[in-house]
Amino acid sequence: MTDATAPRPIRKAVFPVAGLGTRFLPATKAIPKEMLPIIDRPLIQYAVDEAREAGIEQLIFVTGRGKTSIVEHFDTAYELESTMNGRGKSLEVLEPTRIQPGNLVTVRQQVPMGLGHAIWCARAIVGDEPFAIFLPDELMIGEPGCMKQMVEAYNQVGGNLISVLEVPEEEVSSYGVIAPGAKISDTLTEVTGLVEKPKREDAPSNLIISGRYILQPEVMRTLEGQGKGAGGEIQLTDAMARMIGTQPFHAVTFAGRRYDCGSKLGFVEATLALALERPDMADDTREMARRLLGL
Ligand code: UTP
């Protein structure tokens, strides 16, 4: 592809963080789900790290009531830093929380009406350029990270991209599912249809959408005035489904691991898996697991 036809770069990312997190109540009554930590980093930090690795410059948080701690997490904490300085402690641990001034923008979703509605709330900031979406409760661990893999694919095919992964057939009805078309490569497939939370017998495949998207700005117009879908919510999947046929859509099979940290079991699994990978924790975690399992 020559420069003149190269897809426009992905500079902006939307992080919808306005959901109620009801599956984690009462923990999420006063703390946003996205601030629950996997070991020592909140979920939102993992997503922001993945975005930066992929070259994203501007972070757009769609927030709601009770979500201010997410924004504060990425602010300078003067008292904390000066106290740590006074005690001779290194501030390196805070480095991932630093954002270039002006590169974090928040918009408000006053009522959590669904993922599609949350994305639409960011329309004025996204403007007329392609953008990424991260669902922070889906923790994607890979090298390179999921969004970097997607940006590499986007640079080849442009258009719209969705990260997908295979799940057992009995699980499809909890997710957005794709209808796969032509295979472009081992990891890249055309998408011919999308359906949100289908019945198992109606699902077009067992490939589920897994929390990372690169979309063209036209999705905002498609979301405009869209009615409610599955679960009585305004669904992003429905808007994307309506765009298929008018714009290229591809699915990228993520080479890595995904943990559904919006569910309790997924959250525990992620905590254990990451602890087992960390050089400073792996041996002790293995020992602890053996003890707990009586092995
Ligand atoms: P979920 O479907 O996991 O919903 O949202 P939720 O409210 O966070 O959690 P539960 O199901 O009640 O436990 C996926 C992502 O979309 C955001 C959430 O914050 C989460 O990051 N979201 C969802 C919004 O920003 N607004 C919405 O109206 C819905």
Side-chain angles (χ1 to χ4, degrees), residues 23-252:
R23 284 172 288 172
F24 275 89
L25 283 170
T28 46
K29 188 179 170 201
I31 298 168
K33 175 171 73 174
E34 298 78 11
M35 285 301 288
L36 297 179
I38 301 291
I39 307 179
D40 50 12
R41 279 199 289 168
L43 283 169
I44 189 71
Q45 181 75 62
Y46 289 94
V48 165
D49 291 349
E50 187 190 323
R52 284 164 152 170
E53 182 205 17
I56 304 275
E57 293 161 20
Q58 190 176 58
L59 313 174
I60 305 164
F61 290 175
V62 181
T63 71
R65 269 175 67 76
K67 300 281 181 167
T68 43
S69 59
I70 299 176
V71 180
E72 273 167 27
H73 177 75
F74 293 101
D75 205 352
T76 302
Y78 289 108
E79 297 92 335
L80 175 66
E81 293 190 12
S82 90
T83 307
M84 285 174 76
N85 266 329
R87 292 182 186 170
K89 286 192 185 297
S90 164
L91 297 183
E92 203 187 326
V93 72
L94 296 174
E95 216 38 58
T97 68
R98 301 195 197 285
I99 306 277
Q100 183 96 351
N103 275 0
L104 192 159
V105 182
T106 64
V107 293
R108 203 87 170 169
Q109 184 192 28
Q110 288 84 353
V111 181
M113 293 169 65
L115 177 60
H117 183 261
I119 300 305
W120 178 76
C121 289
R123 66 199 179 284
I125 317 291
V126 167
D128 187 30
E129 57 180 292
F131 64 104
I133 300 173
F134 290 77
L135 306 196
D137 56 355
E138 304 230 5
L139 180 56
M140 311 294 266
I141 303 291
E143 280 187 27
C146 183
M147 187 51 70
K148 190 159 185 197
Q149 293 181 25
M150 290 178 75
V151 167
E152 279 161 14
Y154 171 81
N155 288 337
Q156 293 170 35
V157 291
N160 301 272
L161 284 138
I162 313 166
S163 154
V164 295
L165 54 92
E166 231 173 291
V167 296
E169 269 165 31
E170 55 274 21
E171 288 178 23
V172 287
S173 48
S174 307
Y175 300 99
V177 180
I178 71 155
K183 225 170 156 47
I184 313 292
S185 70
D186 279 353
T187 54
L188 200 58
T189 309
E190 206 186 333
V191 177
T192 58
L194 291 166
V195 45
E196 186 62 39
K197 300 187 175 63
K199 285 191 195 140
R200 182 178 169 177
E201 55 275 24
D202 298 334
S205 74
N206 63 341
L207 290 171
I208 62 152
I209 307 175
S210 62
R212 301 291 182 272
Y213 313 72
I214 290 176
L215 297 180
Q216 297 298 316
E218 285 76 14
V219 71
M220 296 299 189
R221 277 198 290 283
T222 313
L223 281 165
E224 186 92 46
Q226 179 177 293
K228 291 175 182 169
E233 297 195 327
I234 297 173
Q235 296 287 355
L236 180 62
T237 305
D238 295 345
M240 294 190 301
R242 285 163 58 210
M243 284 167 73
I244 292 174
T246 66
Q247 292 207 350
F249 257 91
H250 291 93
V252 180

